[in-house]
Amino acid sequence: MKNVRLRFAPSPTGPLHIGGARSALFNYLLAKKYRGTFLVRMEDTDLERSSAASEENIKDSLKWLGMDWDEGVDAGGDCGPYRQTERLSIYRQAVDKLLAEGKAYYCFCSEEELDREREAQSARGETPRYGGKCRDLTREEWQSRLDSGAKPVVRFKVPPGEEVAIDDLVRGRVAFETDGIGDFIIVKSDGIPVYNFAVVLDDVTMKISHVIRGEEHLSNTPRQVLLYDALGYAMPKFAHISLILGQDKTKMSKRHGSTSVVAYRDQGYLPEALVNFLALLGWSPEGEEEIFDLDGLVEAFSLDRVSKSPAVFDLEKLKWLNGVYIRNAAPERRLAFALPHLQNAGLVPAEPAADDLLWAQTVTEALKNHINAFGELPALIARYRQPVAYGEELGEELKALGEDAVTVIRAVLAKLEALETVSADGYKALLKEVKKETGIGGRPLFHSVRIAKTGSTEGPDMDKVAIIIGREGMIERCREFLRFMEHFLQS
RNA sequence: GGCCCGUUGGAGAAGCGGCUUAACUCACCAGCCUUUCACGCUGGCAUUCAGGGGUUCGAAUCCCCUACGGGUCACCA
């Protein structure tokens, strides 16, 4: 394939969300696969809702995910500028051409008028669409209205009785009747072009070869096709990917939890895990392997394995995937990602000393198998720092353990008191001795200790927990447990 | 309401007319490993592909209808 050029063209009206990131990723992957260009442009024609902060968020999110762009905002290139509000003259020329050729016309209808028309149409069960009141106004009429200060919109004259079809790379041939489309607005009364018009010109002038975008744009595509025709431009190839749904199968929204990329970053997800997960949303690899880094995805990705049916966002799977990446990461990388969460929770100072870093490292390594996101770390650690609560769910286990638990903890307590400090190895040895002394080993031994120290039957290796709790903490917990058991065994 | 898209297990998802007694992954269950807990490993988990017709020697795969879900018809993108 030659001159493959793909783009991600978000409107900066909010943070980059999961759906946008997935679109960006698919465009990125295809561009890289064919050694083409990936570019980013901003569709900021909605002056009300666009903001510089959103643009920054989107760019930061893309970079964080590892999707650097070859061309576009901040990166430059030959087809700029890459913000629609900076391309107004390009659009103006095209509008003038359409107006001159009679393919578009000024419309002076007021918004109230249009609202009323639409309402009446829906009331009658008709498709709401522009009736064409201004379609046949003469140029003289335009001029006199313009002269008297009217601010018209420009509408595209949709040719009646035609069929427009697109050959979609994921959905196949999709056809629409032009009779179902009213003359649509291409330039707003403030002179800013509308999305459907601006995209066409941008994609043409930026020489885009493939447009991968969400399914919500499928119904808009015939309008764009009409514009390509009217302007005499060749069309890019289209690929409309299915929507991302929440667990309840409705369109993904805040109700379903976090939807922005930064939210996942802040919860302690690794970018490579999120990218991997995003790729699996609507695309499936050929073999059994589901774990792919960006380069692996570039190689494996192809549009013919993109699904037509909507993809459901499965948070459980994202968590699992993130857990896999956490476990596979290098210890330094784990520490780098864990540190901010430890600092936010006040467990490590903002300016950590060597000791603090060592502690953070130790804790992170001890808990790496027990978390699916780094944000879970503080809560887990809190379990070893706050007084233990021996909850009701432990009842059965404790009953089964019975006097053995008391015997074990008494022995452990005695040994701890005799020691100065506790290392992981020292603790292992300590338990061995307890086993020898009491004759209790295996599950009864470990579960007694685990429950006494953490109030839970599951968690990391006991020697690692020992380091997190420390000698004093353990002694305190042993005593507390013995007090608790006295009452428990009586009742 | 018109137009357009979709519908495979608890969940995601492969499948593109015979190789399917429906891959793979998550979740779940069982076993192994571990003196504990996890990690890891092994095995189990849809006689059936929304429902109904049809085409065919043969259909999850092609056609039609119905139901359900979604998108779109904006001076939003």
Side-chain angles (χ1 to χ4, degrees):
Chain A
M1 247 183 258
K2 275 193 146 173
N3 288 329
V4 169
R5 289 169 62 82
L6 290 96
R7 82 311 112 129
F8 177 52
S11 46
T13 54
L16 182 64
H17 55 261
I18 294 298
R22 203 259 314 235
S23 291
L25 180 63
F26 282 18
N27 280 288
Y28 174 90
L29 292 177
L30 205 68
K32 294 299 162 188
K33 185 176 179 74
Y34 294 110
R35 308 196 180 288
T37 305
F38 175 60
L39 69 89
V40 171
R41 97 174 158 242
M42 289 292 156
E43 309 214 320
D44 57 351
T45 53
D46 186 342
L47 272 17
E48 309 263 297
R49 296 195 298 145
S50 295
S51 74
S54 293
E55 182 179 319
E56 288 311 309
N57 177 290
I58 290 168
K59 292 187 294 195
D60 288 347
S61 297
L62 287 173
K63 286 182 205 153
W64 182 71
L65 290 169
M67 289 185 261
D68 290 303
W69 50 101
D70 312 300
E71 193 179 315
V73 279
D74 297 354
D78 298 333
C79 305
Y82 294 93
R83 252 178 293 261
Q84 290 185 326
T85 47
E86 294 164 7
R87 300 170 61 79
L88 266 20
S89 62
I90 296 172
Y91 310 129
R92 187 70 243 171
Q93 274 184 359
V95 178
D96 289 344
K97 183 167 175 256
L98 256 20
L99 247 17
E101 292 172 354
K103 291 174 177 169
Y105 58 90
Y106 283 114
C107 169
F108 298 88
C109 296
S110 70
E111 291 197 50
E112 297 73 46
E113 230 175 307
L114 295 170
D115 283 345
R116 249 180 287 122
E117 183 180 36
R118 266 193 294 269
E119 246 170 74
Q121 283 166 333
S122 345
R124 268 176 278 141
E126 289 169 22
T127 304
R129 86 177 100 129
Y130 184 61
K133 188 178 169 204
C134 298
R135 193 172 195 170
D136 298 313
L137 256 30
T138 63
R139 274 160 212 269
E140 289 68 44
E141 282 169 306
W142 288 1
Q143 210 41 63
S144 71
R145 302 261 208 141
L146 253 17
D147 288 344
S148 62
K151 291 255 187 273
V153 299
V154 180
R155 281 183 190 275
F156 178 73
K157 207 180 269 183
V158 175
E162 282 181 25
E163 184 194 74
V164 283
I166 60 162
D167 192 18
D168 192 275
L169 260 20
V170 350
R171 327 200 82 92
R173 188 188 134 94
V174 184
F176 300 83
E177 301 295 329
T178 55
D179 289 345
I181 306 169
D183 292 348
F184 55 93
I185 294 174
I186 55 177
V187 180
K188 304 182 227 176
S189 55
D190 59 3
I192 308 282
V194 107
Y195 162 77
N196 277 125
F197 184 59
V199 243
V200 168
L201 286 160
D202 291 342
D203 286 340
V204 165
T205 53
M206 293 181 192
K207 306 185 184 71
I208 299 301
S209 60
H210 302 253
V211 172
I212 305 177
R213 64 189 6 169
E215 192 194 310
E216 68 267 29
H217 291 285
L218 187 55
S219 306
N220 272 321
T221 308
R223 287 164 229 272
Q224 292 165 26
V225 172
L226 255 17
L227 288 169
Y228 277 103
D229 284 350
L231 261 5
Y233 294 129
M235 275 188 283
K237 296 203 185 311
F238 291 105
H240 288 93
I241 55 183
S242 57
L243 259 18
I244 298 176
L245 308 181
Q247 238 97 18
D248 60 354
K249 308 250 183 184
T250 64
K251 193 173 176 178
M252 176 105 153
S253 69
K254 329 317 140 248
R255 284 185 303 113
H256 299 101
S258 308
T259 54
S260 71
V261 169
V262 287
Y264 288 94
R265 184 195 65 193
D266 295 345
Q267 285 166 44
Y269 285 83
L270 289 166
E272 54 269 36
L274 194 53
V275 161
N276 196 153
F277 177 71
L278 254 19
L280 262 14
L281 247 28
W283 169 80
S284 62
E286 210 157 333
E288 299 184 5
E289 194 53 59
E290 284 195 319
I291 310 286
F292 290 93
D293 61 15
L294 246 193
D295 291 339
L297 285 172
V298 167
E299 197 176 324
F301 186 78
S302 88
L303 277 179
D304 46 61
R305 296 194 66 82
V306 170
S307 170
K308 288 195 260 274
S309 49
V312 173
F313 186 92
D314 183 2
L315 187 61
E316 285 308 310
K317 187 144 184 181
L318 205 211
K319 284 185 181 167
W320 165 77
L321 208 43
N322 199 48
V324 169
Y325 275 93
I326 287 177
R327 272 170 249 130
N328 290 343
E332 308 79 61
R333 186 165 169 76
R334 257 194 300 268
L335 178 61
F337 276 83
L339 205 53
H341 291 98
L342 298 175
Q343 289 171 319
N344 276 341
L347 294 165
V348 171
E351 306 279 334
D355 276 7
D356 300 318
L357 288 177
L358 189 62
W359 182 83
Q361 172 92 265
T362 308
V363 170
T364 304
E365 292 307 300
L367 298 178
K368 70 179 179 201
N369 284 346
H370 298 266
I371 54 169
N372 286 321
F374 290 104
E376 297 167 12
L377 235 27
L380 257 190
I381 293 168
R383 222 158 82 184
Y384 307 122
R385 300 213 141 197
Q386 288 157 359
V388 220
Y390 304 108
E392 279 189 42
E393 72 281 0
L394 261 24
E396 223 153 290
E397 182 82 27
L398 285 173
K399 223 172 274 170
L401 259 17
E403 283 296 334
D404 282 358
V406 177
T407 313
V408 165
I409 299 305
R410 279 213 183 103
V412 170
L413 178 57
K415 294 249 179 290
L416 281 171
E417 284 173 331
L419 285 172
E420 292 277 310
T421 55
V422 191
S423 67
D425 287 342
Y427 191 74
K428 266 189 195 159
L430 185 150
L431 282 185
K432 225 168 216 167
E433 283 176 49
V434 171
K435 180 186 177 185
K436 215 186 279 175
E437 248 170 57
T438 61
I440 301 169
R443 186 184 164 96
L445 197 189
F446 273 82
H447 266 205
S448 298
V449 172
R450 188 182 286 287
I451 290 174
K453 308 254 160 98
T454 69
S456 166
T457 54
E458 69 89 35
D461 286 339
M462 281 313 299
D463 54 320
K464 292 182 177 128
V465 172
I467 303 174
I468 302 175
I469 299 177
R471 178 180 172 271
E472 279 68 36
M474 289 196 291
I475 288 175
E476 205 173 296
R477 280 158 193 237
C478 285
R479 292 192 176 130
E480 178 60 34
F481 181 73
L482 290 174
R483 276 196 291 276
F484 170 81
M485 284 304 274
E486 223 174 291
H487 291 107
F488 180 80
L489 290 175
Q490 271 169 17
S491 62

